[in-house]
Amino acid sequence: MASQENEKIDLEKPVVAQGNVEQWLGLLMNESQRSIHGVIRQASVAIDDPNFKMIEFQNVFPAQVGLLGIQMIWTRDSEEALKNARVDKKVMATTNQQFLDMLNELIDMTTKELTKYERTKYETLITIHVHQRDIFDELVKKNTKSVGDFDWLKQTRFYYKEDVDQCLISITDVDFEYQNEFLGCQERLVITPLTDRCYITLAQALGMSMGGAPAGPAGTGKTETTKDMGRCLGKFVVVFNCSDQMDYRGLGRIYKGLAQSGSWGCFDEFNRIELPVLSVAAQQMAVLFNCKKERRKQFVFTDGDVVDMNAEFGIFLTMNPGYAGRQELPENLKIMFRTVAMMVPDR
């Protein structure tokens, strides 16, 4: 597999492209996810090596896995420090210094001659690690001394559980399994307190088998935050721009596709759709969410189709309140979504 930046990952087993296209493409997708999972497994072993060198590690592994690696290291070291904080008075400060040294090491790399791909990779690592260091700095200042403290639990935490061979991501009390989608080397958002709050609400919504609905004026990062959270969990995120031309049949087809593939759908400016269509859309989504709540493998859609269900799917609406030609959402739709108010972006 090659990403658009020409980053290559080998498939563990070759896939033969013959027969029905939907079957071999399905096999190819599963194999690609299995291969990336294999690379992540290698990375989780590599970060536990006593002779671990950050830059060497980043040069060996693809950008996506390198980023996961630095996030797993941060989670592991932070938890270690928090567990020992009551016994060892200096452990928090030393760990904080370690994170700072790691950051400086990454920053040193950007002063060298780098290709465009490497530059993006190191900039992304720095973006994420600056945020991680800030969090830990905050924990040190607040004198946090336990892993069960909410100041720690509300963060996005990355684990590799060897006993079940899974890469888990926890936000508050919700655990997500990393989806191993091959993302290539993509830029990531600078994470601000607003982004953090948005993640928490969206994670809670998904944990309760509901959808998320960031609302607010244009340019506050509603769609971008949803896409970034998808990248963080290794998911495929599809963005649909809604208009008043959309009918319930078109929306129904999109919902069925999302439910089967386990992707996230982000419906931009959902309240542009006309009211009669919205109330049918609400019934269609209710079928999906109920199936997810009851953990069933299949559901009968409103048009009578029997559809397979991949419980990893998510539906997000973004809304710009108070423009001409926009609807208030009907009540039966509101109850299935958790809203997040995103007012001013934190600059």
Side-chain angles (χ1 to χ4, degrees), residues 134-268:
D134 288 349
I135 292 171
F136 199 78
D137 207 33
E138 198 70 10
L139 293 176
V140 175
K141 283 182 189 144
K142 285 187 175 169
N143 225 344
T144 312
K145 285 200 167 81
S146 121
V147 185
D149 196 298
F150 184 67
D151 281 319
W152 171 245
L153 290 180
K154 71 179 183 186
Q155 309 303 341
T156 312
R157 311 183 304 287
F158 295 77
Y159 303 97
Y160 192 85
K161 300 270 189 261
E162 280 175 17
D163 43 350
V164 282
D165 193 23
Q166 271 179 356
C167 179
L168 286 184
I169 296 155
S170 308
I171 304 177
T172 58
D173 57 348
V174 189
D175 293 339
F176 297 96
E177 194 183 325
Y178 192 76
Q179 288 300 293
N180 306 314
E181 187 71 46
F182 187 35
L183 303 171
C185 178
Q186 290 187 333
E187 290 187 333
R188 291 289 296 273
L189 278 188
V190 174
I191 303 174
T192 65
L194 179 69
T195 327
D196 273 337
R197 282 197 295 275
C198 191
Y199 278 12
I200 293 170
T201 312
L202 295 182
Q204 287 295 325
L206 289 165
M208 291 186 266
S209 305
M210 297 164 85
T220 45
K222 302 181 291 293
T223 314
E224 281 305 319
T225 307
T226 309
K227 276 163 62 180
D228 198 67
M229 184 168 170
R231 278 183 213 144
C232 169
L233 305 175
K235 282 184 194 290
F236 186 55
V237 185
V238 200
V239 178
F240 302 97
N241 280 355
C242 300
S243 73
D244 47 10
Q245 304 299 309
M246 280 187 152
D247 64 346
Y248 73 93
R249 285 192 194 86
L251 281 171
R253 277 198 293 272
I254 294 175
Y255 297 146
K256 282 193 272 190
L258 292 175
Q260 284 173 334
S261 64
S263 336
W264 279 9
C266 179
F267 294 85
D268 246 7

Side-chain angles (χ1 to χ4, degrees), residues 257-287:
L258 292 175
Q260 284 173 334
S261 64
S263 336
W264 279 9
C266 179
F267 294 85
D268 246 7
E269 310 206 8
F270 196 68
N271 49 349
R272 278 188 179 181
I273 298 175
E274 309 216 318
L275 251 173
V277 181
L278 283 181
S279 50
V280 180
Q283 290 170 349
Q284 292 171 326
M285 286 194 243
V287 174

